[in-house]
């Protein structure tokens, strides 16, 4: 599979470099230099308060892309509901609040935007905006990323190895496991794997 080509558009170069550093560790993402932004599959736009200047930046970014299916991830302060349709118009597939723009949320949003390219390659089809911190659960009560963690635990991976595989910090993985055990009243990791197997989650 070809890596997703990602560009960063930020007013503040330091902020842009910080977000780029989140993405460079993934083997399936390739961060493009500013001179190659027009070749992007995903453009991550970083702003503060969303206003008319934000929309002009999104419009210019969209018009300059070679890929008609290009999607955007917008990292900004709260976007009001009446602005969501306008965001869709310029290909914004995911919103991340600046206060929540930690590595795992940014990476998750980029992958979600990448998935929307596969689902709606026609530029005239705009996917619904995806909130990257919204985590739907399976019928067994596991969140999507909990399933990924438990599946790797079932394969015998350690916390450090799971973190490396999913491009999360070890602390995040420990928090995911702890939250899962507490919420489902499970005793330990082995019990979590057994629970997932019993409910057909890992099948």
């Amino acid at each position: 599979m070809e890596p997703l080509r990602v560009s960063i558009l930020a007013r503040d170069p330091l902020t842009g470099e910080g977000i780029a550093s989140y993405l460079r560790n993934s083997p399936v993402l390739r961060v493009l230099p500013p001179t190659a932004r027009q070749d992007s599959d995903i453009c991550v736009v970083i702003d503060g308060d969303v206003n008319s200047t934000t929309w002009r930046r999104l419009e210019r970014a969209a018009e300059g892309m070679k890929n008609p299916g290009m999607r955007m991830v917008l990292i900004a302060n709260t976007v009001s509901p009446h602005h969501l349709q306008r965001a869709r118009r310029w290909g914004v597939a995911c919103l991340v609040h600046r206060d929540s723009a930690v590595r795992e949320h940014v990476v998750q949003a980029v992958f979600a935007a990448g998935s929307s390219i596969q689902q709606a390659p026609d530029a005239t089809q705009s996917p619904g905006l995806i909130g990257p911190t919204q985590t739907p659960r399976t019928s067994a009560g596991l969140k999507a990323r909990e399933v990924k963690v438990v599946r790797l635990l079932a394969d015998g991976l350690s916390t450090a190895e799971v973190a490396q595989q999913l491009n999360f910090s070890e602390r995040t993985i420990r928090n995911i496991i702890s939250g899962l055990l507490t919420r489902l009243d499970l005793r330990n990791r082995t019990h979590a794997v057994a629970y997932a197997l019993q409910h057909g989650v890992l099948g």
Side-chain angles (χ1 to χ4, degrees):
M1 184 180 75
E2 288 292 319
L4 279 173
R5 297 165 297 182
V6 184
S7 62
I8 311 292
L9 184 59
R11 294 185 186 183
D12 174 14
L14 288 177
T15 302
E17 180 55 34
I19 295 298
S21 70
Y22 292 167
L23 306 175
R24 288 195 183 103
N25 291 332
S26 172
V28 294
L29 299 176
R30 180 158 65 93
V31 179
L32 300 177
T35 53
R37 182 177 296 130
Q38 69 275 7
D39 296 319
S40 304
D41 298 310
I42 307 293
C43 182
V44 180
V45 181
I46 308 159
D47 214 331
D49 294 326
V50 174
N51 52 36
S52 59
T53 302
T54 308
W55 304 125
R56 284 196 296 271
R57 295 177 74 215
L58 292 176
E59 181 179 5
R60 285 196 300 268
E63 290 175 346
M65 297 299 176
K66 294 179 181 177
N67 179 1
M70 186 273 303
R71 296 289 182 242
M72 295 190 194
V73 172
L74 176 59
I75 300 176
N77 295 329
T78 304
V79 178
S80 59
H82 71 276
H83 282 153
L84 293 181
Q85 189 60 43
R86 195 168 185 180
R88 290 190 187 97
R89 186 189 312 162
W90 302 121
V92 176
C94 289
L95 302 172
V96 180
H97 194 281
R98 286 194 69 145
D99 290 345
S100 301
V102 295
R103 182 174 65 176
E104 50 262 44
H105 289 168
V106 173
V107 171
Q108 182 183 2
V110 169
F111 282 130
S115 297
S116 77
I117 294 174
Q118 304 301 322
Q119 295 165 3
D122 186 341
T124 64
Q125 300 177 31
S126 295
L129 290 175
I130 303 166
T133 57
Q134 295 173 357
T135 51
R137 298 182 184 180
T138 67
S139 58
L142 276 71
K143 300 175 184 177
R145 67 177 181 175
E146 289 173 344
V147 172
K148 294 178 183 178
V149 170
V150 173
R151 183 170 285 121
L152 292 173
L153 291 176
D155 289 339
L157 274 65
S158 66
T159 301
E161 291 168 333
V162 172
Q164 185 176 12
Q165 285 280 331
L166 298 181
N167 201 28
F168 288 168
S169 68
E170 288 187 45
R171 181 178 179 181
T172 297
I173 297 301
R174 285 194 293 270
N175 288 341
I176 291 171
I177 295 169
S178 175
L180 167 64
L181 297 180
T182 301
R183 193 179 70 253
L184 298 179
D185 196 25
L186 302 172
R187 293 186 298 277
N188 50 39
R189 298 177 182 205
T190 303
H191 194 189
V193 170
Y195 177 91
L197 287 168
Q198 288 168 357
H199 288 79
V201 175
L202 303 183

